[in-house]
Amino acid sequence: MQGIVRNGVRIDDSFAEAFPMAATGLIVTAPTRKWANQAAATATGYATSVIGCDCEAGVDAELSEDETPDGRPGVRLLFFAFSAKGAEKALVNRVGQCILTCPGTALYSAFDGDLKIKVGDSMRQFGDKWQTSKAIDGRRFWRVPVMDGEFFVEGQVGVLKKCVGGGNLLVMGADWESTMRATEAGVNAIHAVPDAIMPFPGGIVRSGSKVGSQYKGMSASTNDAYCPTLKGVTKTALEPDIGCTLEIVIDGLTDDAVRQAMRAGLKAIIDLGPEKGAKRVGAGNYGGKLGPFHYHLKDLLP
Amino acid sequence: MKPFTFTLRQEPPQRVDLSALTPDRLAGKSLAEIEKIEIGTTRASAKVGDLFKLAEGDLKSVRYDGGSARFDRVGAKLLPGFSIHVDGDVGLELGRLAKGGVITVTGGAGAYAASGNEGAHIEIKGDAGEMLAGPLAGELAGMSGGRVVVRGKVGARAGDRLRRGILIIEGDAGDDLGARFIAGTIIALGQTSGRVGYLNKRGSIILAKRPELLPTYVDCGAHVFTFAGLFARALKADSAGAAALLSQKLHRYGGDTAVFGKGEILTPA
């Protein structure tokens, strides 16, 4: 396969193709770091791909006591959906199930956004008329009495309409261990990039998909061209020295956030080198038919 | 740019109504036209030019060099984005029905300061009179937004019928603080007296010193309130004392159970 080589790692002359999404951001705080992280993990669980679930979500950043509105440890979560309406539905369900219920938590909007969706304003009725509101600096909050004190939640949360879903890197190596080492290095580097999340488990997807299936009713199926065990029997994209492929998928609040995230991930993977890490990096696209955002790997090289 | 400045020539001979001198109402007027504005409240004429020496400047901010307890309705109906600074005292109804903006007074203010304020940030470095942020006779609600900080003490019935917004009193408060309170937040760092929170529907009264409470307030125990943490941060720039008070564990007394009982008085636990 033709391509560019950096530090011994082959870079495909290819591009990642991403599509527009609506995104909303939440800041969740709790009395301790443990419970802030617990709320984050629960609320963003089963939120990997909008193809199969209500939204794509992940932790954007852990926030220190100085960075949160109420002076407690917190996390900044991002939720991506196809529309603002979809984001609202997913958010109300997830906040009601996972944050209202989680001990000690409070919830704030992370940004103003293009429009607002109701979160606390729909959640307040849990207070059974014992809830009271507090307004400060133009923002309205609800104090909902719960069994460990009060659930403090912002009435409305901002939604950004023009965000990006589906930035990606395909990391290919000799075996599972070395490929995973490279992919984890990429994921760690991307964690430091603001306004971008990786919604899949630990930031990594092993089941990259292609459009369509040989079965009726399946809209997506395994990306056989990148499956190492089918190298001999299918039209493969893998060379003989590749034994494993893992993918990093990135959603970002802006085009630039996705670009910076891919750049950071690519650099970390290249820095690790082909002996300990990946031998080749590619990107997933559908020939330009999926969405308007294209991220060419050759433009992102260190 | 320098503020538009009114320098007081001498103590006005009568009460004056300064509601005509807010930035939006002065816009587009020449100095000569402004000097002719009638501000007297008696039959004896009093014009701006008789009382003040004018210095042109940016109309986004108006400054009074020298104040008087006869200055009524300073900053009335002030709009967002504008500011008024008074170096001295003001009279009645400071910032009455102001929709936004910033008003600072280095001296004291008379009765009905911030009456019906809808969104202005008002700071009074001295004392304030009775009915701070309250309604005028016949009105159903007092202040409905904004933030008022009084560094000194305030008269009776501060926060009467307060509907929304935040009132911070760093000194002592007169009788019946937060009477007929509808909603919002009142913070008092000094002594309080009388029927504090009488007929409070769903407002929060946060007191540094616990007074004798009405029998219609009931003990709800001591708690750490998340909202208080948020308020502590948001109010720190205005009042370090209020921020410190809100950062503590607070004892909650629910009431006034003579009405909804959804309001509260919070004091350090």
Side-chain angles (χ1 to χ4, degrees):
Chain A
M1 174 130 187
Q2 264 195 334
I4 313 143
V5 178
R6 283 283 192 286
N7 192 28
V9 180
R10 310 197 292 275
I11 311 297
D12 291 4
D13 187 5
S14 176
F15 63 93
E17 186 176 355
F19 46 91
M21 293 186 96
T24 172
L26 299 179
I27 291 173
V28 181
T29 67
T32 61
R33 162 74 46 209
K34 177 191 164 180
W35 285 101
N37 286 345
Q38 184 62 60
T42 313
T44 59
Y46 184 44
T48 57
S49 167
V50 275
I51 296 169
C53 47
D54 56 353
C55 67
E56 298 183 5
V59 176
D60 180 31
E62 285 197 1
L63 305 176
S64 71
E65 286 87 336
D66 299 330
E67 295 167 308
T68 57
D70 58 17
R72 309 190 300 169
V75 281
R76 187 172 191 260
L77 307 177
L78 299 181
F79 293 77
F80 291 79
F82 280 132
S83 64
K85 201 113 195 116
E88 179 169 16
K89 203 172 165 207
L91 214 60
V92 168
N93 276 335
R94 283 168 181 272
V95 169
Q97 294 297 313
C98 310
I99 296 180
L100 166 69
T101 55
C102 182
T105 57
L107 181 68
Y108 310 94
S109 178
F111 45 74
D112 284 344
D114 304 319
L115 53 95
K116 302 274 186 198
I117 54 176
K118 287 180 180 179
V119 175
D121 286 350
S122 5
M123 213 64 61
R124 69 172 198 262
Q125 286 164 341
F126 186 78
D128 203 21
K129 296 197 175 174
W130 289 106
Q131 71 274 19
T132 56
S133 91
K134 277 275 166 262
I136 193 162
D137 298 331
R139 295 164 73 180
R140 175 175 292 281
F141 302 90
W142 288 96
R143 294 166 60 191
V144 182
V146 285
M147 296 194 307
D148 74 343
E150 284 179 346
F151 176 47
F152 191 53
V153 55
E154 187 153 359
Q156 301 199 337
V157 170
V159 178
L160 287 166
K161 286 199 280 191
K162 287 178 182 155
C163 301
V164 182
N168 66 77
L169 291 170
L170 288 165
V171 186
M172 291 163 267
D175 50 33
W176 197 88
E177 286 77 16
S178 58
T179 312
M180 178 52 87
R181 206 176 292 128
T183 316
E184 283 184 327
V187 166
N188 287 338
I190 293 169
H191 270 311
V193 177
D195 298 341
I197 57 155
M198 295 163 283
F200 284 94
I204 303 174
V205 204
R206 66 138 172 220
S207 60
S209 53
K210 68 173 183 284
V211 177
S213 162
Q214 298 200 52
Y215 293 98
K216 266 191 219 162
M218 281 287 283
S219 60
S221 58
T222 193
N223 196 347
D224 55 300
Y226 286 88
C227 290
T229 51
L230 299 177
K231 243 188 300 191
V233 293
T234 190
K235 192 173 175 237
T236 189
L238 303 178
E239 297 90 339
D241 66 340
I242 305 294
C244 174
T245 308
L246 293 170
E247 186 178 0
I248 302 174
V249 173
I250 300 151
D251 294 342
L253 292 185
T254 60
D255 179 40
D256 193 54
V258 175
R259 194 177 309 281
Q260 294 308 329
M262 285 184 60
R263 194 186 294 277
L266 199 53
K267 181 176 186 312
I269 293 164
I270 289 170
D271 285 350
L272 196 63
E275 301 307 319
K276 283 164 74 181
K279 293 182 180 297
R280 183 181 151 200
V281 181
N285 67 68
Y286 301 86
K289 285 179 197 149
L290 180 69
F293 303 100
H294 297 166
Y295 304 98
H296 288 268
L297 294 183
K298 63 175 172 1
D299 300 336
L300 302 172
L301 288 171
Chain B
M1 209 173 155
K2 278 197 303 188
F4 194 101
T5 307
F6 295 89
T7 308
L8 187 64
R9 293 179 199 272
Q10 78 264 329
E11 176 78 8
Q14 57 169 303
R15 301 205 74 85
V16 288
D17 178 352
L18 299 182
S19 60
L21 304 187
T22 53
D24 55 305
R25 271 168 262 172
L26 294 178
K29 288 197 170 77
S30 68
L31 277 191
E33 283 173 316
I34 294 172
E35 282 179 339
K36 284 191 196 124
I37 296 174
E38 184 73 49
I39 52 174
T41 52
T42 70
R43 276 195 288 177
S45 165
K47 293 195 167 68
V48 171
D50 304 338
L51 291 177
F52 298 106
K53 204 167 75 194
L54 272 57
E56 216 160 357
D58 182 9
L59 264 180
K60 275 201 165 322
S61 61
V62 167
R63 185 184 162 90
Y64 291 91
D65 261 339
S68 162
R70 288 177 174 162
F71 279 9
D72 292 346
R73 299 199 190 110
V74 173
K77 295 188 178 169
L78 187 70
L79 297 176
F82 298 111
S83 69
I84 293 180
H85 175 85
V86 184
D87 205 7
D89 296 336
V90 295
L92 304 172
E93 297 178 27
L94 169 77
R96 161 112 179 122
L97 298 175
K99 297 206 182 318
V102 178
I103 303 175
T104 46
V105 175
T106 62
Y112 293 99
S115 168
N117 175 27
E118 293 172 14
H121 193 131
I122 299 175
E123 182 186 2
I124 299 164
K125 295 218 165 98
D127 300 338
E130 292 179 0
M131 294 294 276
L132 174 71
L136 294 190
E139 287 179 341
L140 292 178
M143 186 165 98
S144 62
R147 194 181 290 183
V148 175
V149 186
V150 181
R151 306 282 173 212
K153 53 185 197 293
V154 302
R157 292 189 93 95
D160 188 64
R161 286 202 176 180
L162 189 82
R163 180 150 178 262
R164 202 180 294 124
I166 300 162
L167 195 54
I168 301 174
I169 300 157
E170 293 198 330
D172 297 341
D175 281 352
D176 300 359
L177 174 72
R180 309 189 290 174
F181 199 174
I182 301 166
T185 308
I186 298 175
I187 302 166
L189 303 183
Q191 300 288 347
T192 51
S193 56
R195 298 172 295 176
V196 178
Y198 172 62
L199 299 184
N200 172 8
K201 282 186 178 162
R202 52 177 193 274
S204 301
I205 302 176
I206 304 154
L207 304 174
K209 301 186 172 83
R210 190 162 74 86
E212 188 71 31
L213 295 177
L214 293 169
T216 46
Y217 276 85
V218 290
D219 192 338
C220 299
H223 308 280
V224 174
F225 289 93
T226 313
F227 94 91
L230 178 93
F231 270 48
R233 299 202 139 200
L235 301 180
K236 200 167 186 180
D238 278 324
S239 173
L245 172 61
L246 286 162
S247 303
Q248 307 171 39
K249 192 172 198 181
L250 297 167
H251 204 112
R252 181 176 197 267
Y253 299 88
D256 186 340
T257 52
V259 280
F260 286 171
K262 284 176 69 178
E264 62 193 355
I265 292 176
L266 302 171
T267 65

